[in-house]
Amino acid sequence: MSLRFAVPHARKLLIAHLLASLTAAGLAQAAPVAAKAAPLKSKQTMADLIKASSATDWRPLNPDNTLYMELEKGRVVIELAPDFAPNHAQNIKALVREGYFDGLAIVRSQENYVAQWADPDEKREIKTAKRKLDGEFTVKYASSLPFTRLPDVDGFAPQVGHANGFPAGRDPKAGTAWLTHCYASVGVARGTESNSGDGTSLYVVTGHAPRQLDRNITVVGRVMQGMELLTTLPRGKGNLGFYEKAEERTPIKSIKIAADVPEAERSKLEIIRTDTATFKSIVEAQRNRGGDWYKVPAGYIDLCNVPVPVRAQK
Amino acid sequence: MSLRFAVPHARKLLIAHLLASLTAAGLAQAAPVAAKAAPLKSKQTMADLIKASSATDWRPLNPDNTLYMELEKGRVVIELAPDFAPNHAQNIKALVREGYFDGLAIVRSQENYVAQWADPDEKREIKTAKRKLDGEFTVKYASSLPFTRLPDVDGFAPQVGHANGFPAGRDPKAGTAWLTHCYASVGVARGTESNSGDGTSLYVVTGHAPRQLDRNITVVGRVMQGMELLTTLPRGKGNLGFYEKAEERTPIKSIKIAADVPEAERSKLEIIRTDTATFKSIVEAQRNRGGDWYKVPAGYIDLCNVPVPVRAQK
């Protein structure tokens, strides 16, 4: 398969060139010849912009807010967003520090929806963390919360954009903001009552963004590396994709906070700073593609399609 | 994990209730008590509407336009949409009938994007099918093309909706329509030239809808069953998620047209008819959730989040 475009190494980049290798020989089909649209201008791609970026366009993940979920097949790196869910972030860290998650399991993998982890036996004691928390479905946002607004309309929120790397919605009239349910968003599973989610069971969005969940459940962070460890899990055959048999559940060896892990064992990652000109250019490069493969630029991008590149620290 | 909502059997249904089983004991966190919004009204869910639907709300997949891709682990069922890509649908059927795909392989699995199949050795001869086709990125639509419009705004297309079960966009001024790149959409891989896709390599969208591809590439149909056989494939380590080693590629035993398969071996599936009151009610049930789990109805739905239920024929 001939590949005609270099691909940057950052995993989170979406490259939209689909190539097929074809011989030039063969009969052209007799068909009306459509008027050819003018080719799109060549312009900097996201890969070009990343290559040209400066060190200050990136920030390291915050080790105090970064979780490492260790699975047999590798590590899932999650960064928490205390700006949006301070109490849940705090409680999850408390649960992590008391070893709550160690030895638990992935209990659910539902096609085009979520993977979820929890105590499958529902019997593990909580020692110091809280068992009940009021939902943090939205937060009142301070004017100091950095928010880089997307230029485009969004049907689920009055405004959308990025805050410190996290995709978010905002309602200026209500003064509230919330993290949106994009691919890789991590949320706090709950029952019917708004205060029934405490962080003992978390889920991650693995398919098309289920934005109808926004403002209905606490979103607490984002998977920054290791998504494929979760998206490729066999689907559970029970209701809602829950696994029915213990042997189907992928064990969680441990979850640790990066700051508690010896520095040599940390995943040294950095994420683009979404309040930079580089990021705005990346958004625009994705909104309006140039070059010779695309024929029609979209002139629009939806929040959950905006790539927020993560890479190994330079 | 206690499950409090019955789940219908159709695989394509998205259920948005995430449950965690918690004991009622435990300390409530001291926190300001937010004013409680009025609970949402109880209303018919999609599951209720499906249960209440009549036989005429469903249509069987068309065996002349349905492909069975047989993998070791099971069958992927694809329905082609000749209304939107008549020449490509015809050419793909010709390729299938000459056994072009038999023994080929899945060559690519890219995280949050696509799986793609093709001849990994790029050497298989085409016998009767065409090797070059003008792109069918959009079609002029006849007024007879059934189109059930979604009430909501879409940033990628002047109008969106469903035509005969397929998610589609439409430009009334230009008189053109196209299938959109939603999860499960199947398209025709191409090189740089618009006429370089002939159907010898196809891809399916496995992650968040890459709508920027709309109108840039021929979309030819949709996977109706078996998506998890493709979405759980290990990701290719090469550029764009291509596999680098032959042993990584999932072999395709065969692709056949349903009409050519003995009736006893066919997958008897039916899909909701998208020009029915039942479907419109399903869309509305998803746009504005009711019941006791949701707290805030979205009042909006994006095209690629609209479920188009498929089930075993009754």
Side-chain angles (χ1 to χ4, degrees), chain B residues 213-228:
Chain B
L213 294 174
D214 293 355
R215 292 187 269 190
N216 280 291
I217 193 165
T218 301
V219 181
V220 76
R222 192 158 208 231
V223 170
M224 297 299 182
Q225 191 174 68
M227 272 302 286
E228 64 282 359

Side-chain angles (χ1 to χ4, degrees), chain B residues 4-251:
Chain B
R4 301 180 55 206
F5 298 89
V7 178
H9 296 293
R11 288 187 202 195
K12 291 275 176 150
L13 300 178
L14 299 176
I15 310 294
H17 299 114
L18 300 165
L19 303 173
S21 171
L22 301 171
T23 66
L27 300 171
Q29 183 192 30
V33 176
K36 272 190 166 10
L40 299 178
K41 278 184 359 188
S42 175
K43 52 190 289 203
Q44 278 190 304
T45 63
M46 173 165 60
D48 297 329
L49 291 162
I50 286 172
K51 202 165 177 182
S53 66
S54 63
T56 54
D57 288 330
W58 301 78
R59 67 163 180 85
L61 300 188
N62 183 337
D64 289 314
N65 292 333
T66 299
L67 306 180
Y68 296 153
M69 179 162 73
E70 308 289 0
L71 308 178
E72 188 66 52
K73 293 191 176 179
R75 172 182 283 177
V76 177
V77 179
I78 297 167
E79 198 185 34
L80 300 174
D83 285 339
F84 286 91
N87 298 325
H88 285 80
Q90 182 179 55
N91 211 46
I92 289 165
K93 288 167 67 174
L95 288 164
V96 166
R97 288 199 158 114
E98 61 179 71
Y100 178 85
F101 293 102
D102 300 352
L104 296 189
I106 314 251
V107 296
R108 174 187 187 190
S109 169
Q110 188 174 3
E111 179 61 27
N112 193 30
Y113 198 45
V114 298
Q116 184 175 345
W117 51 100
D119 174 6
D121 303 316
E122 300 174 4
K123 68 180 189 213
R124 183 162 288 195
E125 295 288 321
I126 289 179
K127 296 172 201 152
T128 61
K130 295 178 166 59
R131 186 163 269 293
K132 234 174 160 76
L133 292 174
D134 280 346
E136 292 175 302
F137 301 171
T138 66
V139 290
K140 288 282 188 194
Y141 65 90
S143 55
S144 57
L145 177 74
F147 191 85
T148 303
R149 212 178 143 193
L150 265 195
D152 296 304
V153 73
D154 181 280
F156 290 102
Q159 295 181 357
V160 291
H162 292 80
N164 206 24
F166 296 93
R170 196 168 71 168
D171 182 344
K173 284 190 199 155
T176 54
W178 56 94
L179 295 185
T180 52
H181 279 82
C182 295
Y183 163 88
S185 291
V186 174
V188 177
R190 67 166 176 84
T192 304
E193 297 307 313
S194 293
N195 64 354
S196 59
D198 55 15
T200 53
S201 181
L202 302 175
Y203 64 90
V204 63
V205 174
T206 51
H208 183 76
R211 294 282 305 282
Q212 75 280 357
L213 294 174
D214 293 355
R215 292 187 269 190
N216 280 291
I217 193 165
T218 301
V219 181
V220 76
R222 192 158 208 231
V223 170
M224 297 299 182
Q225 191 174 68
M227 272 302 286
E228 64 282 359
L229 297 171
L230 301 168
T231 54
T232 58
L233 292 173
R235 307 314 186 207
K237 295 185 176 46
N239 273 350
L240 305 182
F242 281 94
Y243 295 111
E244 294 179 312
K245 297 179 193 161
E247 54 266 31
E248 294 175 305
R249 299 182 190 121
T250 298

Side-chain angles (χ1 to χ4, degrees), chain A residues 61-83:
Chain A
L61 301 189
N62 183 338
D64 289 314
N65 292 331
T66 298
L67 306 181
Y68 297 153
M69 179 162 72
E70 308 288 0
L71 307 178
E72 188 65 53
K73 293 191 177 179
R75 173 182 281 178
V76 177
V77 179
I78 297 167
E79 198 185 32
L80 300 174
D83 286 337

Side-chain angles (χ1 to χ4, degrees), chain A residues 60-222:
Chain A
L61 301 189
N62 183 338
D64 289 314
N65 292 331
T66 298
L67 306 181
Y68 297 153
M69 179 162 72
E70 308 288 0
L71 307 178
E72 188 65 53
K73 293 191 177 179
R75 173 182 281 178
V76 177
V77 179
I78 297 167
E79 198 185 32
L80 300 174
D83 286 337
F84 287 90
N87 298 325
H88 286 79
Q90 182 180 56
N91 211 46
I92 288 164
K93 288 167 66 172
L95 288 164
V96 166
R97 286 196 160 116
E98 60 180 70
Y100 178 85
F101 294 103
D102 300 351
L104 296 190
I106 314 250
V107 296
R108 173 188 187 190
S109 169
Q110 187 174 2
E111 178 62 28
N112 193 30
Y113 198 45
V114 298
Q116 184 176 344
W117 51 100
D119 174 6
D121 303 318
E122 301 174 4
K123 67 179 189 212
R124 184 162 287 196
E125 296 285 322
I126 290 180
K127 297 173 201 152
T128 62
K130 295 179 167 59
R131 185 163 271 292
K132 234 175 160 75
L133 291 175
D134 281 345
E136 292 175 302
F137 301 171
T138 66
V139 289
K140 286 285 191 195
Y141 65 90
S143 55
S144 58
L145 178 74
F147 191 85
T148 303
R149 211 178 145 192
L150 265 195
D152 296 304
V153 73
D154 181 281
F156 289 101
Q159 296 180 354
V160 291
H162 292 81
N164 206 23
F166 296 94
R170 196 167 71 168
D171 183 344
K173 285 191 197 155
T176 53
W178 55 93
L179 294 185
T180 52
H181 279 82
C182 295
Y183 163 89
S185 292
V186 175
V188 178
R190 69 165 175 85
T192 305
E193 297 307 313
S194 293
N195 64 355
S196 58
D198 55 12
T200 52
S201 181
L202 302 175
Y203 63 89
V204 62
V205 174
T206 51
H208 183 77
R211 295 280 307 280
Q212 74 282 354
L213 294 174
D214 292 355
R215 292 188 269 190
N216 280 292
I217 192 163
T218 301
V219 181
V220 77
R222 193 158 205 228

